[in-house]
């Protein structure tokens, strides 16, 4: 068998930045920050979203500013009438 083929598994603790919950596990990831948990040293990896804070897992809905998005779109691209894209050809009878 070939040696040094597989990456090494390290003790890693993932920390959710929104809830500060820690998830100790094993991973191939490393970090400059370390933390002692019990008698073992863990690499610290910060995550912005985990299963503890993601809306799909928590059931919380977050409101999206759709009206603001529409206004931004209209400001950026203008209306179709101003650009001549709303011209309809009238059928002759």
């Amino acid at each position: 068998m070939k040696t040094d083929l597989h990456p090494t598994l390290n003790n890693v603790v993932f920390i959710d930045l929104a809830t500060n919950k820690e998830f100790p596990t094993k991973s191939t990831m490393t970090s400059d920050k370390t933390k002692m948990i019990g008698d073992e040293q863990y690499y610290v990896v910060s995550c912005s979203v985990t299963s503890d804070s993601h809306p799909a897992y928590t059931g919380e809905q977050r409101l999206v500013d759709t009206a603001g998005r529409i206004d931004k779109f209209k400001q950026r691209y203008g209306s179709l009438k101003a650009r001549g894209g709303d011209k309809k050809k009238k059928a002759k009878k």
Side-chain angles (χ1 to χ4, degrees), residues 1-75:
M1 289 191 119
K2 294 181 181 179
T3 59
D4 300 326
L5 182 64
H6 297 286
T8 58
L9 281 177
N10 305 311
N11 291 329
V12 176
V13 60
F14 293 99
I15 298 179
D16 189 336
L17 295 176
T19 62
N20 291 328
K21 186 169 181 180
E22 298 178 351
F23 299 94
T25 187
K26 295 216 180 249
S27 176
T28 57
M29 294 180 74
T30 60
S31 159
D32 295 335
K33 297 180 184 179
T34 58
K35 179 179 184 173
M36 292 297 290
I37 299 177
D39 295 337
E40 298 183 19
Q41 185 174 6
Y42 285 77
Y43 290 106
V44 176
V45 177
S46 301
C47 299
S48 58
V49 176
T50 64
S51 62
D52 195 47
S53 62
H54 194 279
Y57 295 104
T58 61
E60 296 176 4
Q61 290 185 347
R62 296 183 184 172
L63 297 175
V64 178
D65 182 23
T66 55
R69 289 184 180 184
I70 293 170
D71 292 336
K72 287 179 186 177
F73 179 83
K74 286 182 178 178
Q75 286 178 349

Side-chain angles (χ1 to χ4, degrees), residues 73-84:
F73 179 83
K74 286 182 178 178
Q75 286 178 349
R76 183 177 295 158
Y77 298 105
S79 67
L80 291 175
K81 290 180 182 178
R83 294 187 353 206

